[in-house]
Amino acid sequence: MKTQQKFLEFNGKNIVFLAVEGTYWIALRPICEALNIDVRRSRDLAKNDPILGPEVSIQALQVVKKGQKQLRNMTCIPEKFIYGWIFSLRSDSEELTKYKRTCYDLLFDHFHGTITSRKELLMQRQEIDDQIHHLKKSLKEEDAKFKQL
């Protein structure tokens, strides 16, 4: 079953996706237009990429031109890959630079949070291990006292 919805709006451009059997296909052209980057070069980057290339697909998406809905075949990739594709683009576009800066922030927050959380978990585990050690020692001492009685 195919359904089409507005994905998001960026810089006045509607980024649409097409849902096909649980995969969300994102059109590349509207993203390039919203980021103010060359569509053909960016699309070729995806097609020639060893990871993205096999994922590229032409999907029929509904677009609105001059108030009329039309079906257009558009180059798409699954949502799973869209963010990495955008991050791999090269351009002096302010919009793209802003997007990439946001990506760097998100990646840092994710991995720094993961590392910080892991460090905190390891510290908590050490505290618990210390408590267990002290409890076992106390039990042995109590057991020894009980045996003397």
Side-chain angles (χ1 to χ4, degrees):
M1 179 174 170
K2 293 183 179 187
T3 60
Q4 183 174 329
Q5 297 176 6
K6 178 177 167 182
F7 181 59
L8 60 90
E9 187 174 314
F10 182 75
N11 281 355
K13 301 285 184 187
N14 287 329
I15 311 299
V16 295
F17 69 86
L18 180 66
V20 181
E21 298 176 6
T23 299
Y24 297 101
W25 295 93
I26 313 299
L28 302 185
R29 175 179 289 280
I31 292 175
C32 292
E33 290 171 351
L35 292 171
N36 195 26
I37 58 175
D38 183 78
V39 175
R40 180 172 288 144
R41 190 171 80 184
S42 303
R43 187 174 44 221
D44 289 347
L45 176 70
K47 288 179 180 179
N48 295 323
D49 185 271
I51 294 169
L52 300 175
E55 304 298 331
V56 171
S57 176
I58 304 299
Q59 299 288 336
L61 290 159
Q62 191 176 66
V63 295
V64 178
K65 292 284 184 178
K66 299 178 184 175
Q68 301 228 339
K69 293 180 181 180
Q70 302 172 359
L71 273 182
R72 293 279 169 94
N73 287 331
M74 300 185 87
T75 304
C76 300
I77 58 176
E79 180 191 12
K80 175 180 178 178
F81 298 96
I82 200 76
Y83 310 107
W85 168 75
I86 296 172
F87 200 56
S88 74
L89 299 172
R90 302 288 176 254
S91 171
D92 292 332
S93 160
E94 266 185 57
E95 296 86 354
L96 181 60
T97 300
K98 184 179 176 183
Y99 173 84
K100 286 183 174 185
R101 198 167 280 287
T102 301
C103 285
Y104 280 115
D105 290 342
L106 291 170
L107 287 169
F108 172 78
D109 290 346
H110 172 76
F111 287 107
H112 180 72
T114 300
I115 291 168
T116 303
S117 295
R118 180 151 174 78
K119 180 182 173 186
E120 289 173 9
L121 286 173
L122 289 172
M123 289 173 60
Q124 288 174 1
R125 181 176 178 178
Q126 183 62 48
E127 287 175 20
I128 291 169
D129 286 347
D130 289 345
Q131 290 173 355
I132 290 170
H133 173 74
H134 292 301
L135 289 171
K136 285 182 177 179
K137 185 177 175 182
S138 294
L139 283 172
K140 283 183 183 178
E141 290 171 359
E142 289 295 320
D143 191 40
K145 286 180 187 176
F146 182 73
K147 287 182 181 178
Q148 289 177 351
L149 295 176

mmCIF file with all atom_site columns, all heavy atoms in Angstrom, residues 1-3 17-25 78-80:
data_model
loop_
_atom_site.group_PDB
_atom_site.id
_atom_site.type_symbol
_atom_site.label_atom_id
_atom_site.label_alt_id
_atom_site.label_comp_id
_atom_site.label_asym_id
_atom_site.label_entity_id
_atom_site.label_seq_id
_atom_site.pdbx_PDB_ins_code
_atom_site.Cartn_x
_atom_site.Cartn_y
_atom_site.Cartn_z
_atom_site.occupancy
_atom_site.B_iso_or_equiv
_atom_site.pdbx_formal_charge
_atom_site.auth_seq_id
_atom_site.auth_comp_id
_atom_site.auth_asym_id
_atom_site.auth_atom_id
_atom_site.pdbx_PDB_model_num
ATOM 1   N N   . MET A 1 1  ? 0.837  -1.180 0.000  1.00 0.00 ? 1  MET A N   1
ATOM 2   C CA  . MET A 1 1  ? 0.000  0.000  0.000  1.00 0.00 ? 1  MET A CA  1
ATOM 3   C C   . MET A 1 1  ? 0.883  1.244  0.000  1.00 0.00 ? 1  MET A C   1
ATOM 4   O O   . MET A 1 1  ? 1.817  1.360  0.773  1.00 0.00 ? 1  MET A O   1
ATOM 5   C CB  . MET A 1 1  ? -0.894 0.002  1.237  1.00 0.00 ? 1  MET A CB  1
ATOM 6   C CG  . MET A 1 1  ? -1.780 1.184  1.331  1.00 0.00 ? 1  MET A CG  1
ATOM 7   S SD  . MET A 1 1  ? -2.891 0.966  2.740  1.00 0.00 ? 1  MET A SD  1
ATOM 8   C CE  . MET A 1 1  ? -3.586 2.567  2.786  1.00 0.00 ? 1  MET A CE  1
ATOM 9   N N   . LYS A 1 2  ? 0.567  2.195  -0.869 1.00 0.00 ? 2  LYS A N   1
ATOM 10  C CA  . LYS A 1 2  ? 1.342  3.421  -0.974 1.00 0.00 ? 2  LYS A CA  1
ATOM 11  C C   . LYS A 1 2  ? 0.537  4.588  -0.414 1.00 0.00 ? 2  LYS A C   1
ATOM 12  O O   . LYS A 1 2  ? -0.618 4.767  -0.748 1.00 0.00 ? 2  LYS A O   1
ATOM 13  C CB  . LYS A 1 2  ? 1.687  3.726  -2.433 1.00 0.00 ? 2  LYS A CB  1
ATOM 14  C CG  . LYS A 1 2  ? 2.629  2.730  -3.057 1.00 0.00 ? 2  LYS A CG  1
ATOM 15  C CD  . LYS A 1 2  ? 2.982  3.147  -4.455 1.00 0.00 ? 2  LYS A CD  1
ATOM 16  C CE  . LYS A 1 2  ? 3.955  2.162  -5.074 1.00 0.00 ? 2  LYS A CE  1
ATOM 17  N NZ  . LYS A 1 2  ? 4.451  2.606  -6.358 1.00 0.00 ? 2  LYS A NZ  1
ATOM 18  N N   . THR A 1 3  ? 1.182  5.362  0.436  1.00 0.00 ? 3  THR A N   1
ATOM 19  C CA  . THR A 1 3  ? 0.571  6.583  0.926  1.00 0.00 ? 3  THR A CA  1
ATOM 20  C C   . THR A 1 3  ? 1.607  7.689  0.827  1.00 0.00 ? 3  THR A C   1
ATOM 21  O O   . THR A 1 3  ? 2.806  7.439  0.946  1.00 0.00 ? 3  THR A O   1
ATOM 22  C CB  . THR A 1 3  ? 0.106  6.463  2.392  1.00 0.00 ? 3  THR A CB  1
ATOM 23  O OG1 . THR A 1 3  ? 1.236  6.161  3.209  1.00 0.00 ? 3  THR A OG1 1
ATOM 24  C CG2 . THR A 1 3  ? -0.947 5.401  2.554  1.00 0.00 ? 3  THR A CG2 1
ATOM 25  N N   . PHE A 1 17 ? 7.271  12.457 1.406  1.00 0.00 ? 17 PHE A N   1
ATOM 26  C CA  . PHE A 1 17 ? 7.733  11.077 1.373  1.00 0.00 ? 17 PHE A CA  1
ATOM 27  C C   . PHE A 1 17 ? 6.610  10.199 0.878  1.00 0.00 ? 17 PHE A C   1
ATOM 28  O O   . PHE A 1 17 ? 5.446  10.578 0.861  1.00 0.00 ? 17 PHE A O   1
ATOM 29  C CB  . PHE A 1 17 ? 8.225  10.603 2.746  1.00 0.00 ? 17 PHE A CB  1
ATOM 30  C CG  . PHE A 1 17 ? 7.136  10.440 3.785  1.00 0.00 ? 17 PHE A CG  1
ATOM 31  C CD1 . PHE A 1 17 ? 6.427  9.255  3.883  1.00 0.00 ? 17 PHE A CD1 1
ATOM 32  C CD2 . PHE A 1 17 ? 6.848  11.466 4.665  1.00 0.00 ? 17 PHE A CD2 1
ATOM 33  C CE1 . PHE A 1 17 ? 5.445  9.091  4.847  1.00 0.00 ? 17 PHE A CE1 1
ATOM 34  C CE2 . PHE A 1 17 ? 5.872  11.318 5.628  1.00 0.00 ? 17 PHE A CE2 1
ATOM 35  C CZ  . PHE A 1 17 ? 5.155  10.128 5.725  1.00 0.00 ? 17 PHE A CZ  1
ATOM 36  N N   . LEU A 1 18 ? 6.995  9.039  0.469  1.00 0.00 ? 18 LEU A N   1
ATOM 37  C CA  . LEU A 1 18 ? 6.053  8.040  0.009  1.00 0.00 ? 18 LEU A CA  1
ATOM 38  C C   . LEU A 1 18 ? 6.263  6.803  0.868  1.00 0.00 ? 18 LEU A C   1
ATOM 39  O O   . LEU A 1 18 ? 7.380  6.288  0.950  1.00 0.00 ? 18 LEU A O   1
ATOM 40  C CB  . LEU A 1 18 ? 6.314  7.713  -1.472 1.00 0.00 ? 18 LEU A CB  1
ATOM 41  C CG  . LEU A 1 18 ? 5.407  6.682  -2.123 1.00 0.00 ? 18 LEU A CG  1
ATOM 42  C CD1 . LEU A 1 18 ? 3.982  7.213  -2.210 1.00 0.00 ? 18 LEU A CD1 1
ATOM 43  C CD2 . LEU A 1 18 ? 5.932  6.341  -3.506 1.00 0.00 ? 18 LEU A CD2 1
ATOM 44  N N   . ALA A 1 19 ? 5.218  6.355  1.533  1.00 0.00 ? 19 ALA A N   1
ATOM 45  C CA  . ALA A 1 19 ? 5.307  5.151  2.357  1.00 0.00 ? 19 ALA A CA  1
ATOM 46  C C   . ALA A 1 19 ? 4.922  3.949  1.503  1.00 0.00 ? 19 ALA A C   1
ATOM 47  O O   . ALA A 1 19 ? 3.834  3.905  0.944  1.00 0.00 ? 19 ALA A O   1
ATOM 48  C CB  . ALA A 1 19 ? 4.376  5.264  3.560  1.00 0.00 ? 19 ALA A CB  1
ATOM 49  N N   . VAL A 1 20 ? 5.852  3.013  1.382  1.00 0.00 ? 20 VAL A N   1
ATOM 50  C CA  . VAL A 1 20 ? 5.612  1.792  0.612  1.00 0.00 ? 20 VAL A CA  1
ATOM 51  C C   . VAL A 1 20 ? 6.030  0.615  1.472  1.00 0.00 ? 20 VAL A C   1
ATOM 52  O O   . VAL A 1 20 ? 7.223  0.427  1.748  1.00 0.00 ? 20 VAL A O   1
ATOM 53  C CB  . VAL A 1 20 ? 6.404  1.779  -0.712 1.00 0.00 ? 20 VAL A CB  1
ATOM 54  C CG1 . VAL A 1 20 ? 6.129  0.507  -1.499 1.00 0.00 ? 20 VAL A CG1 1
ATOM 55  C CG2 . VAL A 1 20 ? 6.112  3.008  -1.551 1.00 0.00 ? 20 VAL A CG2 1
ATOM 56  N N   . GLU A 1 21 ? 5.051  -0.149 1.926  1.00 0.00 ? 21 GLU A N   1
ATOM 57  C CA  . GLU A 1 21 ? 5.311  -1.363 2.708  1.00 0.00 ? 21 GLU A CA  1
ATOM 58  C C   . GLU A 1 21 ? 6.301  -1.122 3.847  1.00 0.00 ? 21 GLU A C   1
ATOM 59  O O   . GLU A 1 21 ? 7.282  -1.846 4.012  1.00 0.00 ? 21 GLU A O   1
ATOM 60  C CB  . GLU A 1 21 ? 5.788  -2.489 1.788  1.00 0.00 ? 21 GLU A CB  1
ATOM 61  C CG  . GLU A 1 21 ? 4.756  -2.880 0.740  1.00 0.00 ? 21 GLU A CG  1
ATOM 62  C CD  . GLU A 1 21 ? 5.255  -3.925 -0.250 1.00 0.00 ? 21 GLU A CD  1
ATOM 63  O OE1 . GLU A 1 21 ? 6.375  -4.445 -0.074 1.00 0.00 ? 21 GLU A OE1 1
ATOM 64  O OE2 . GLU A 1 21 ? 4.517  -4.206 -1.196 1.00 0.00 ? 21 GLU A OE2 1
ATOM 65  N N   . GLY A 1 22 ? 6.073  -0.075 4.602  1.00 0.00 ? 22 GLY A N   1
ATOM 66  C CA  . GLY A 1 22 ? 6.884  0.201  5.778  1.00 0.00 ? 22 GLY A CA  1
ATOM 67  C C   . GLY A 1 22 ? 8.170  0.969  5.524  1.00 0.00 ? 22 GLY A C   1
ATOM 68  O O   . GLY A 1 22 ? 8.899  1.281  6.452  1.00 0.00 ? 22 GLY A O   1
ATOM 69  N N   . THR A 1 23 ? 8.481  1.263  4.271  1.00 0.00 ? 23 THR A N   1
ATOM 70  C CA  . THR A 1 23 ? 9.664  2.060  3.944  1.00 0.00 ? 23 THR A CA  1
ATOM 71  C C   . THR A 1 23 ? 9.207  3.449  3.547  1.00 0.00 ? 23 THR A C   1
ATOM 72  O O   . THR A 1 23 ? 8.288  3.604  2.741  1.00 0.00 ? 23 THR A O   1
ATOM 73  C CB  . THR A 1 23 ? 10.463 1.427  2.785  1.00 0.00 ? 23 THR A CB  1
ATOM 74  O OG1 . THR A 1 23 ? 10.904 0.129  3.194  1.00 0.00 ? 23 THR A OG1 1
ATOM 75  C CG2 . THR A 1 23 ? 11.672 2.266  2.420  1.00 0.00 ? 23 THR A CG2 1
ATOM 76  N N   . TYR A 1 24 ? 9.849  4.457  4.114  1.00 0.00 ? 24 TYR A N   1
ATOM 77  C CA  . TYR A 1 24 ? 9.528  5.838  3.788  1.00 0.00 ? 24 TYR A CA  1
ATOM 78  C C   . TYR A 1 24 ? 10.560 6.359  2.795  1.00 0.00 ? 24 TYR A C   1
ATOM 79  O O   . TYR A 1 24 ? 11.734 6.522  3.135  1.00 0.00 ? 24 TYR A O   1
ATOM 80  C CB  . TYR A 1 24 ? 9.493  6.694  5.061  1.00 0.00 ? 24 TYR A CB  1
ATOM 81  C CG  . TYR A 1 24 ? 8.415  6.237  5.993  1.00 0.00 ? 24 TYR A CG  1
ATOM 82  C CD1 . TYR A 1 24 ? 8.714  5.441  7.094  1.00 0.00 ? 24 TYR A CD1 1
ATOM 83  C CD2 . TYR A 1 24 ? 7.089  6.573  5.759  1.00 0.00 ? 24 TYR A CD2 1
ATOM 84  C CE1 . TYR A 1 24 ? 7.716  4.998  7.943  1.00 0.00 ? 24 TYR A CE1 1
ATOM 85  C CE2 . TYR A 1 24 ? 6.082  6.128  6.603  1.00 0.00 ? 24 TYR A CE2 1
ATOM 86  C CZ  . TYR A 1 24 ? 6.408  5.343  7.686  1.00 0.00 ? 24 TYR A CZ  1
ATOM 87  O OH  . TYR A 1 24 ? 5.414  4.906  8.524  1.00 0.00 ? 24 TYR A OH  1
ATOM 88  N N   . TRP A 1 25 ? 10.113 6.587  1.552  1.00 0.00 ? 25 TRP A N   1
ATOM 89  C CA  . TRP A 1 25 ? 10.968 7.066  0.476  1.00 0.00 ? 25 TRP A CA  1
ATOM 90  C C   . TRP A 1 25 ? 10.919 8.589  0.450  1.00 0.00 ? 25 TRP A C   1
ATOM 91  O O   . TRP A 1 25 ? 9.857  9.182  0.309  1.00 0.00 ? 25 TRP A O   1
ATOM 92  C CB  . TRP A 1 25 ? 10.513 6.500  -0.863 1.00 0.00 ? 25 TRP A CB  1
ATOM 93  C CG  . TRP A 1 25 ? 10.682 5.020  -0.921 1.00 0.00 ? 25 TRP A CG  1
ATOM 94  C CD1 . TRP A 1 25 ? 9.764  4.068  -0.613 1.00 0.00 ? 25 TRP A CD1 1
ATOM 95  C CD2 . TRP A 1 25 ? 11.870 4.324  -1.266 1.00 0.00 ? 25 TRP A CD2 1
ATOM 96  N NE1 . TRP A 1 25 ? 10.306 2.811  -0.747 1.00 0.00 ? 25 TRP A NE1 1
ATOM 97  C CE2 . TRP A 1 25 ? 11.598 2.945  -1.165 1.00 0.00 ? 25 TRP A CE2 1
ATOM 98  C CE3 . TRP A 1 25 ? 13.144 4.729  -1.667 1.00 0.00 ? 25 TRP A CE3 1
ATOM 99  C CZ2 . TRP A 1 25 ? 12.551 1.975  -1.440 1.00 0.00 ? 25 TRP A CZ2 1
ATOM 100 C CZ3 . TRP A 1 25 ? 14.088 3.759  -1.955 1.00 0.00 ? 25 TRP A CZ3 1
ATOM 101 C CH2 . TRP A 1 25 ? 13.793 2.399  -1.834 1.00 0.00 ? 25 TRP A CH2 1
ATOM 102 N N   . PRO A 1 78 ? 15.476 5.789  0.987  1.00 0.00 ? 78 PRO A N   1
ATOM 103 C CA  . PRO A 1 78 ? 14.751 5.549  2.242  1.00 0.00 ? 78 PRO A CA  1
ATOM 104 C C   . PRO A 1 78 ? 15.161 6.549  3.323  1.00 0.00 ? 78 PRO A C   1
ATOM 105 O O   . PRO A 1 78 ? 16.307 6.994  3.375  1.00 0.00 ? 78 PRO A O   1
ATOM 106 C CB  . PRO A 1 78 ? 15.163 4.130  2.637  1.00 0.00 ? 78 PRO A CB  1
ATOM 107 C CG  . PRO A 1 78 ? 15.623 3.488  1.370  1.00 0.00 ? 78 PRO A CG  1
ATOM 108 C CD  . PRO A 1 78 ? 16.235 4.605  0.563  1.00 0.00 ? 78 PRO A CD  1
ATOM 109 N N   . GLU A 1 79 ? 14.228 6.881  4.176  1.00 0.00 ? 79 GLU A N   1
ATOM 110 C CA  . GLU A 1 79 ? 14.486 7.840  5.252  1.00 0.00 ? 79 GLU A CA  1
ATOM 111 C C   . GLU A 1 79 ? 15.718 7.452  6.069  1.00 0.00 ? 79 GLU A C   1
ATOM 112 O O   . GLU A 1 79 ? 16.488 8.310  6.490  1.00 0.00 ? 79 GLU A O   1
ATOM 113 C CB  . GLU A 1 79 ? 13.278 7.956  6.178  1.00 0.00 ? 79 GLU A CB  1
ATOM 114 C CG  . GLU A 1 79 ? 13.506 8.944  7.301  1.00 0.00 ? 79 GLU A CG  1
ATOM 115 C CD  . GLU A 1 79 ? 12.461 8.899  8.378  1.00 0.00 ? 79 GLU A CD  1
ATOM 116 O OE1 . GLU A 1 79 ? 11.650 7.962  8.423  1.00 0.00 ? 79 GLU A OE1 1
ATOM 117 O OE2 . GLU A 1 79 ? 12.471 9.819  9.216  1.00 0.00 ? 79 GLU A OE2 1
ATOM 118 N N   . LYS A 1 80 ? 15.909 6.161  6.264  1.00 0.00 ? 80 LYS A N   1
ATOM 119 C CA  . LYS A 1 80 ? 17.045 5.668  7.050  1.00 0.00 ? 80 LYS A CA  1
ATOM 120 C C   . LYS A 1 80 ? 18.376 6.256  6.561  1.00 0.00 ? 80 LYS A C   1
ATOM 121 O O   . LYS A 1 80 ? 19.295 6.452  7.343  1.00 0.00 ? 80 LYS A O   1
ATOM 122 C CB  . LYS A 1 80 ? 17.085 4.136  6.952  1.00 0.00 ? 80 LYS A CB  1
ATOM 123 C CG  . LYS A 1 80 ? 18.261 3.485  7.595  1.00 0.00 ? 80 LYS A CG  1
ATOM 124 C CD  . LYS A 1 80 ? 18.180 1.980  7.417  1.00 0.00 ? 80 LYS A CD  1
ATOM 125 C CE  . LYS A 1 80 ? 19.379 1.292  8.024  1.00 0.00 ? 80 LYS A CE  1
ATOM 126 N NZ  . LYS A 1 80 ? 19.288 -0.160 7.909  1.00 0.00 ? 80 LYS A NZ  1
#
